[in-house]
Amino acid sequence: MVLDPPTFSQSKEHGVFRAEKDFAKLVAAALPLVKPGGILFAANNAAAWPPEEFLADVETAVRHRAGKILQHHYSRSRRIFPSAVANRRI
């Protein structure tokens, strides 16, 4: 499963989404949909969100759902933004 939401969005149905504030909730909501042994790829393009904070938020959400981070990757390049990969234990 790939999570790559916009940095910001607003709708009448779901209200406001801000990546820095709401991404962990999105990860937590997505993890139960990942089949055992499956992979969740999480990415963002929020340039003002430090990669270390993004990875910590993803890691916290994954741990709360009994998951495990398999790989972290980020680059400070303007064109490549942080990503994290997690898998769900059986």
Side-chain angles (χ1 to χ4, degrees):
M1 176 180 292
V2 176
L3 290 182
D4 188 12
T7 302
F8 174 85
S9 70
Q10 184 172 357
S11 72
K12 290 180 183 179
E13 187 177 337
H14 298 288
V16 174
F17 175 87
R18 283 182 168 68
E20 296 95 329
K21 184 179 132 242
D22 300 313
F23 201 91
K25 290 181 217 167
L26 182 62
V27 170
L31 281 172
L33 303 175
V34 177
K35 293 180 181 181
I39 302 281
L40 172 70
F41 178 84
N44 85 77
N45 62 354
W49 193 8
E52 299 81 7
E53 289 180 23
F54 165 75
L55 293 171
D57 286 352
V58 170
E59 207 166 317
T60 298
V62 169
R63 283 194 182 131
H64 280 117
R65 292 287 185 162
K68 175 182 160 185
I69 298 287
L70 297 178
Q71 179 182 6
H72 292 196
H73 172 77
Y74 69 87
S75 172
R76 297 201 185 271
S77 166
R78 285 191 244 175
R79 295 177 186 245
I80 301 173
F81 294 94
S83 62
V85 178
N87 94 327
R88 183 170 173 221
R89 292 183 182 174
I90 297 173

